[in-house]
């Protein structure tokens, strides 16, 4: 195994274990990507450019990702995942429609972010070599969906025997919707979020009660 082939594992494991230097270089490269994407499309960016902007060397880059598309795939998966977060400890004192509103707000945030970065999302969703973007995004949103379903089961709203496959079904559907949203030109976030709400199971509380 070459040093270049071994480096990705070493750097990634270092970052995942919380090693400060690895985390810092990772953050610098993600920030460089986001800054450069404000100037031109993902397809026009090179690893050398990203490294110059971040102030790191190419070995450091390849210690984390195989190429710039893999970096974008991971960075944008994390951002959409973060937007999907609804802290369950904030839902305790809310009624079901209010709690449903929190999930609807997170959906609006995801739609808005995709709309603001359509060029990049089109590249990630549309490529035959998408660096596992769909799979990674589906996995991340399935984790969020699982937490949401647990909330509704605990409240006695969702059936206790909701099939475990439902969370991936829900996440996969949302990823497909986000891909279509990225590929289109619609910018009415609220109307789109309301339409998606109508696709949820009948037991899912609605924001309007």
């Amino acid at each position: 195994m070459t040093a270049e082939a071994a480096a990705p594992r070493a750097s990634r494991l270092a970052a995942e274990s919380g090693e400060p230097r690895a985390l810092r270089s990772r953050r610098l490269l993600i920030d460089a990507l986001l800054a450069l994407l404000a100037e031109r499309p993902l397809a026009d960016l090179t690893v050398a450019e990203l490294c110059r902007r971040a102030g790191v060397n190419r070995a450091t880059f390849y210690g984390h990702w195989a190429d710039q598309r893999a970096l974008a795939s991971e960075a944008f998966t994390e951002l959409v995942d973060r937007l999907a977060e609804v802290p369950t400890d904030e839902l305790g004192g809310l009624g079901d429609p209010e709690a449903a509103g929190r999930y609807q707000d997170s959906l609006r945030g995801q739609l808005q972010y995709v709309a603001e970065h359509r060029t990049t999302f089109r590249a990630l969703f549309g490529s035959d070599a998408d660096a596992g973007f769909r799979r990674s995004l589906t996995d991340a949103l399935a984790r969020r969906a699982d937490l949401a379903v647990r909330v509704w089961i605990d409240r006695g709203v969702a059936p206790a025997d909701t099939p475990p496959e439902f969370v991936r079904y829900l996440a996969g559907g949302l990823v497909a919707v986000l891909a279509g949203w990225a590929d289109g030109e619609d910018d009415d976030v609220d109307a789109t979020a309301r339409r998606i709400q109508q696709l949820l199971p009948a037991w899912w509380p609605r924001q309007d009660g």
Side-chain angles (χ1 to χ4, degrees):
M1 180 180 291
T2 66
E4 184 174 339
R9 182 177 179 183
S11 297
R12 182 169 293 277
L13 287 176
E16 290 175 353
S17 67
E19 199 278 313
R21 185 174 179 180
L23 286 172
R24 180 175 179 274
S25 63
R26 185 178 183 282
R27 185 72 257 163
L28 286 170
L29 285 161
I30 290 175
D31 288 347
L33 170 74
L34 297 177
L36 285 167
L37 285 174
E39 301 170 9
R40 57 190 182 283
L42 176 62
D44 294 344
L45 302 184
T46 66
V47 170
E49 248 181 326
L50 285 162
C51 290
R52 282 196 298 272
R53 180 66 68 97
V56 302
N57 60 44
R58 289 166 63 90
T60 296
F61 179 94
Y62 288 115
H64 291 274
W65 301 283
D67 55 28
Q68 59 271 45
R69 189 176 298 279
L71 162 58
S73 175
E74 185 173 327
F76 278 74
T77 295
E78 287 185 359
L79 287 165
V80 174
D81 181 38
R82 196 176 310 145
L83 289 168
E85 181 179 13
V86 177
T88 54
D89 58 354
E90 295 180 5
L91 302 176
L94 300 178
D96 290 341
E98 294 172 303
R102 292 292 180 90
Y103 289 105
Q104 197 73 347
D105 288 344
S106 76
L107 175 59
R108 291 190 190 97
Q110 294 169 70
L111 290 167
Q112 185 64 45
Y113 187 78
V114 172
E116 290 171 355
H117 299 85
R118 273 198 160 111
T119 300
T120 301
F121 278 101
R122 283 172 180 165
L124 290 172
F125 279 123
S127 173
D128 290 335
D130 68 353
F133 180 62
R134 285 177 183 266
R135 183 181 64 253
S136 297
L137 189 57
T138 300
D139 288 345
L141 295 183
R143 289 192 293 271
R144 299 295 183 192
D146 184 59
L147 291 172
V149 170
R150 289 173 186 273
V151 166
W152 298 127
I153 289 177
D154 288 345
R155 287 171 176 255
V157 174
D161 61 352
T162 299
E165 295 82 4
F166 173 72
V167 295
R168 291 201 68 82
Y169 179 84
L170 182 61
L174 180 54
V175 169
V177 167
L178 291 176
W181 173 254
D183 197 45
E185 300 294 341
D186 187 4
D187 61 0
D188 193 336
V189 169
D190 289 337
T192 303
R194 285 194 297 271
R195 289 195 298 272
I196 294 172
Q197 178 177 257
Q198 297 309 308
L199 302 175
L200 294 170
W203 50 257
W204 193 288
R206 270 35 179 185
Q207 199 169 355
D208 58 9

